[in-house]
Amino acid sequence: MNTSTNAARIISAMAVPEGAGVIVHRTIGTAALRNYDPFLLLDHIGSDHPDDYIAGFPPHPHRGFVTFTYMLDGHMQHQDSMGNTGDLGPGSAQWMKAASGVIHSEMPKQADGLLRGFQLWINLPVANKMDHPEYQEFPAAAFPVIKTEDYQLKVLIGCFGDTVAPIRDDLTQVTYLDVQLQPGRHFQHRLPAQNTNFIYVFEGNGQFNGQDVPLHSLVAAGRGDDAFDFAAGKEGARFIVVSGKPLHEPIVQHGPFVMNTREQIDQALKDFQSNQFVRDRAWVKRSQ
């Protein structure tokens, strides 16, 4: 497979306190990679120390984007101001289009044990930022898995060849894959050249087009790196491969609100303070 000689950017994850003090490892959304259109944030939770995560993420608002949460290990209990509730277990995922506004909480159920997972924020086009919120949750068994001698691949959003995930994102055409690569083996793939593409390594290490990629690092592919070769190290590697269509629109962010103008941010704050995000009145009692 032909690959570009342009060097990709390798960005190390930063430990950041979030929610009620949960430690997350952040790449997109840091000073090193503030916005990676259409992606706004990538957090990786990975700990077997309950003190790092048991406080969870108490009720907090969102407007203007999609959150995608993928659990690897442990459980996360979800409830929101639309009336949705759920329990994300190992291998399950949640796609939430916050759009015009949602308040939700994500709280670990267990008192101890390993908790691992990802949350990705995907920006919405200006024409869809005030859409009605939508919510989807799928168990691990809902996601197709492809197995070869070299790798095991789970399709979470979009498609891989003829294999289609239960979650589709037609607005930004996101593809999200979880790849587990055997030691010393190669994974070769081509992503849309016009898209924003990245890889995040969360187990082992390897090389992206011959460039070393250590554990807990994000590869922001350079131009022309739509065709790539990832070679696993001696211990193998596991990584997510994500691609999305850039929006090329202004981004104005104030914490959990991502809009296109300052005036829209001011309106989001007013709407949140006046409980306009609450569609299910029982939420008020449940969240107290």
Side-chain angles (χ1 to χ4, degrees):
M1 176 177 288
N2 293 325
T3 56
S4 168
T5 57
N6 293 349
R9 292 181 62 193
I10 309 298
I11 298 168
S12 299
M14 292 180 57
V16 177
E18 193 56 85
V22 177
I23 302 300
V24 300
H25 301 282
R26 182 169 297 168
T27 44
I28 301 173
T30 65
L33 194 60
R34 180 60 61 194
N35 291 308
Y36 197 42
D37 187 15
F39 307 113
L40 303 164
L41 176 145
L42 178 67
D43 280 348
H44 171 221
I45 306 171
S47 177
D48 56 3
H49 302 291
D51 289 345
D52 290 343
Y53 64 78
I54 200 62
F57 304 89
H60 56 282
H62 292 302
R63 171 177 278 185
F65 57 96
V66 168
T67 68
F68 178 69
T69 305
Y70 173 39
M71 294 298 296
L72 298 165
D73 298 291
H75 286 255
M76 193 78 78
Q77 193 168 45
H78 167 93
Q79 57 178 335
D80 65 38
S81 56
M82 294 184 287
N84 299 305
T85 61
D87 176 18
L88 290 176
S92 63
Q94 171 204 104
W95 183 89
M96 187 180 75
K97 181 181 177 183
S100 59
V102 167
I103 306 170
H104 76 149
S105 66
E106 298 158 300
M107 304 297 291
K109 285 188 64 178
Q110 74 275 30
D112 54 26
L114 183 64
L115 186 77
R116 290 198 307 165
F118 288 97
Q119 186 165 99
L120 177 67
W121 290 12
I122 307 165
N123 201 12
L124 283 169
V126 60
N128 301 99
K129 283 188 176 291
M130 294 302 290
D131 287 354
H132 192 275
E134 298 177 19
Y135 174 90
Q136 299 179 56
E137 181 177 316
F138 295 92
F143 298 100
V145 175
I146 299 168
K147 295 182 179 181
T148 73
E149 292 183 355
D150 296 333
Y151 61 82
Q152 176 174 296
L153 182 151
K154 179 185 287 190
V155 188
L156 292 147
I157 306 178
C159 62
F160 181 80
D162 295 331
T163 303
V164 180
I167 301 174
R168 292 178 58 92
D169 185 344
D170 294 329
L171 296 177
T172 47
Q173 300 172 18
V174 170
T175 299
Y176 191 121
L177 312 173
D178 176 357
V179 182
Q180 191 164 0
L181 188 57
Q182 295 296 318
R185 299 298 181 94
H186 291 251
F187 175 73
Q188 297 179 331
H189 186 45
R190 182 179 295 275
L191 293 164
Q194 71 275 15
N195 277 15
T196 298
N197 305 314
F198 71 85
I199 291 173
Y200 180 84
V201 178
F202 61 96
E203 290 181 11
N205 57 60
Q207 290 188 329
F208 177 89
N209 291 349
Q211 190 172 356
D212 289 339
V213 183
L215 179 67
H216 297 155
S217 295
L218 182 141
V219 180
R223 289 185 178 180
D225 280 335
D226 53 304
F228 70 86
D229 180 296
F230 192 97
K234 295 180 180 179
E235 297 179 357
R238 189 174 178 188
F239 48 91
I240 55 172
V241 181
V242 183
S243 176
K245 180 181 177 181
L247 301 177
H248 303 299
E249 295 176 353
I251 295 174
V252 179
Q253 181 170 356
H254 181 82
F257 307 131
V258 182
M259 304 300 290
N260 302 102
T261 68
R262 181 67 223 184
E263 291 74 18
Q264 291 169 341
I265 292 293
D266 292 340
Q267 187 62 52
L269 289 165
K270 291 177 183 177
D271 291 346
F272 170 59
Q273 292 165 358
S274 61
N275 284 329
Q276 296 302 307
F277 287 16
V278 179
R279 276 82 172 178
D280 173 34
R281 296 301 163 181
W283 157 263
V284 178
K285 294 182 180 180
R286 291 201 308 270
S287 60
Q288 289 176 344

